[in-house]
Amino acid sequence: MYGRQMPLRILEQVRFWKMMEKEHTILIRQACPTLEPEYEKLLSDWEVVFAKTESTAHQAIQHHLYRSHPTMETSKPLQHFVHQANTHSYEFIQHLTKLMDKSRGIKSQQHTTPILNHIIQQSQYYIYVMEQVGKVDDVESLNHEATVNPNPNHLHLSNIPHQPTPENENEAFTSPITNESLWTSYMFDHRNEAVGIGQHTLPPLPYAYDALEPYIDEEIMRLHHDIHHRAYVEGLNTAEKMMEQARITGDYDLIQHWERQAAFHGAGHYLHTIFWNIMSPDGGGEPTQAIGKQIEKDFGSFEAFQTHFSEAAKKVEGSGWAILVWSPRSRRLEILQAEKHQNLTQWDVIPLLVLDVWEHAYYLQYQADRGSYVDAWWNIVNWSHVNERFTKASTLKWQPY
């Protein structure tokens, strides 16, 4: 039925089932309020893994839908991605089975065991569906070199070996996030591809919604990411499509409005995409890599930098951002305030570390005490990611004047 479009159908299946499995991790936690903290964290980690896989599948679908010939020429990335997605489900089933056996919290709630059994059956059905897809002979792009099956035109996922059950009880519940090969090997490299007009997507959080507590609570993260950031993405897409329509029709009567919308929503989208990644549940402290040395060089000490950045954030007029940037022209770090984020006019610089001080970022938890939010935020700064941005940005050196 799908012919050469079959890879797109497979990606749709992966996207749907990973969305379902992500929701299942939330359902289990809601159904079992007495679940032990270590198992709560395990399910939170699975939520992140499923969200990343779902997002990767969605991006791959968009990538190939808007090509002139969406036939998924790159078979090896697809093969590897499907393999990883199914490995997720195998390991998730194993974890849930062990959870029913070892968790006192689940055993104390009679209604949770049937729920877990149903969820396990759902993931097993997903694996079965993907096995049937793998039996389609005319999908050459689905050959799977990683399986034992000698027929390269088939993808029999049943041949993927199950992970042995560790003898050590603690090892049986190793966080899926610690095995980064499951999801950080980004299967579809879009770095050289343009985002289609009006095709921007909401990036997933790189951690669970409650991972930054007690500094930023779960409710704020859900509202901030799922509602506010999504609104920026949708607003940017709308503005881009309307400006494209103006180019087609030659009617530019509303171009000033849509340019403003693109600036507002685009700045919100890009800054928030940076913002999620420069925070981490394992963050905080002082940077020790190249960014740390550059901070000392340009500000005298980390303490001086931290005080300057905090005061800039606390004193932004109205809503906005504090931003650490690299300036390729002056060749040093600078701290900027961005009131109404689209009004940042120093376009010659590259943002490295950003702090959102719009009220939606903190008001539910800190009320009008922006200062306490800023002070607490330092405990979750992901200096490793800031350093990655810095090392790439610092290679740019414009003619100084």
Side-chain angles (χ1 to χ4, degrees):
M1 179 185 299
Y2 292 94
R4 291 181 62 81
Q5 300 286 349
M6 177 62 84
L8 291 175
R9 177 58 176 156
I10 293 171
L11 287 169
E12 289 174 350
Q13 287 280 359
V14 173
R15 178 177 63 178
F16 173 75
W17 283 103
K18 294 311 161 182
M19 177 188 71
M20 293 295 296
E21 288 177 321
K22 178 184 67 177
E23 294 300 322
H24 287 160
T25 66
I26 299 172
L27 174 62
I28 295 171
R29 284 176 284 169
Q30 291 176 340
C32 187
T34 59
L35 192 64
E36 294 85 341
E38 62 269 29
Y39 302 148
E40 280 266 3
K41 183 179 186 305
L42 177 75
L43 292 170
S44 295
D45 289 348
W46 271 118
E47 181 184 353
V48 173
V49 171
F50 291 140
K52 282 179 172 287
T53 312
E54 176 194 358
S55 176
T56 299
H58 178 75
Q59 292 177 39
I61 290 169
Q62 297 299 312
H63 170 69
H64 290 282
L65 275 178
Y66 293 96
R67 293 172 65 97
S68 51
H69 300 288
T71 55
M72 196 75 72
E73 298 92 339
T74 53
S75 61
K76 288 185 179 180
L78 175 63
Q79 298 157 16
H80 189 53
F81 179 63
V82 173
H83 174 74
Q84 299 290 50
N86 284 274
T87 301
H88 292 168
S89 294
Y90 277 124
E91 295 198 354
F92 184 52
I93 290 170
Q94 291 175 353
H95 277 178
L96 294 187
T97 302
K98 294 165 188 167
L99 208 60
M100 288 190 292
D101 180 55
K102 298 181 181 297
S103 170
R104 292 187 178 90
I106 287 178
K107 291 179 179 178
S108 67
Q109 305 283 329
Q110 293 184 353
H111 65 281
T112 56
T113 297
I115 291 175
L116 263 70
N117 279 324
H118 177 71
I119 289 173
I120 288 172
Q121 291 173 0
Q122 291 287 300
S123 289
Q124 288 173 335
Y125 179 69
Y126 158 73
I127 294 171
Y128 168 78
V129 169
M130 297 307 292
E131 286 176 342
Q132 302 314 302
V133 169
K135 295 175 183 177
V136 178
D137 289 331
D138 63 348
V139 186
E140 183 178 355
S141 63
L142 288 182
N143 60 25
H144 197 305
E145 299 172 0
T147 62
V148 183
N149 194 332
N151 185 343
N153 292 323
H154 288 206
L155 173 60
H156 288 298
L157 299 169
S158 57
N159 290 319
I160 299 175
H162 287 240
Q163 297 294 325
T165 302
E167 296 180 3
N168 186 313
E169 180 175 335
N170 293 329
E171 291 181 4
F173 289 98
T174 299
S175 164
I177 290 183
T178 62
N179 186 3
E180 294 190 358
S181 65
L182 288 180
W183 49 268
T184 57
S185 52
Y186 191 70
M187 321 308 171
F188 302 94
D189 190 349
H190 303 299
R191 286 174 293 183
N192 293 323
E193 297 288 340
V195 176
I197 294 173
Q199 300 302 322
H200 297 278
T201 58
L202 179 68
L205 288 176
Y207 34 72
Y209 289 98
D210 62 354
L212 303 182
E213 291 184 339
Y215 309 109
I216 303 179
D217 66 32
E218 179 179 359
E219 183 180 10
I220 284 180
M221 291 303 295
R222 288 188 181 277
L223 290 171
H224 199 170
H225 176 266
D226 293 0
I227 295 179
H228 288 283
H229 191 170
R230 186 182 301 278
Y232 288 130
V233 173
E234 293 173 352
L236 175 60
N237 286 337
T238 298
E240 288 187 347
K241 290 176 181 177
M242 295 305 295
M243 289 189 292
E244 179 186 42
Q245 189 65 22
R247 292 192 295 273
I248 294 172
T249 63
D251 182 359
Y252 290 96
D253 286 348
L254 295 177
I255 194 62
Q256 184 180 34
H257 169 74
W258 292 118
E259 289 285 1
R260 286 176 175 171
Q261 289 290 296
F264 175 74
H265 292 290
H269 171 45
Y270 293 133
L271 284 172
H272 279 91
T273 300
I274 299 172
F275 186 55
W276 309 132
N277 286 283
I278 58 87
M279 296 187 292
S280 167
D282 300 318
E286 297 187 19
T288 57
Q289 298 168 300
I291 185 65
K293 295 179 181 179
Q294 192 70 38
I295 284 174
E296 289 189 4
K297 176 182 178 182
D298 293 337
F299 296 97
S301 68
F302 175 77
E303 291 76 15
F305 154 75
Q306 187 178 39
T307 300
H308 182 169
F309 191 94
S310 294
E311 291 300 314
K314 295 173 185 178
K315 292 180 172 58
V316 172
E317 293 185 18
S319 299
W321 298 74
I323 306 178
L324 175 68
V325 302
W326 170 256
S327 173
R329 203 167 303 283
S330 61
R331 302 181 189 180
R332 56 183 169 82
L333 298 171
E334 298 173 353
I335 294 173
L336 304 179
Q337 286 181 323
E339 181 190 353
K340 297 179 181 178
H341 48 218
Q342 74 274 27
N343 292 347
L344 177 62
T345 58
Q346 290 161 298
W347 299 115
D348 213 20
V349 299
I350 301 169
L352 304 179
L353 176 71
V354 303
L355 173 55
D356 189 347
V357 291
W358 284 66
E359 288 185 346
H360 62 242
Y362 64 88
Y363 201 83
L364 285 177
Q365 184 174 358
Y366 293 92
Q367 299 297 305
D369 189 2
R370 181 193 288 184
S372 293
Y373 160 68
V374 172
D375 294 339
W377 174 80
W378 289 104
N379 292 284
I380 51 175
V381 171
N382 185 359
W383 286 112
S384 177
H385 187 73
V386 177
N387 182 71
E388 180 184 353
R389 293 183 64 85
F390 168 68
T391 54
K392 292 179 179 180
S394 61
T395 62
L396 294 174
K397 296 179 180 180
W398 311 138
Q399 179 65 36
Y401 60 81

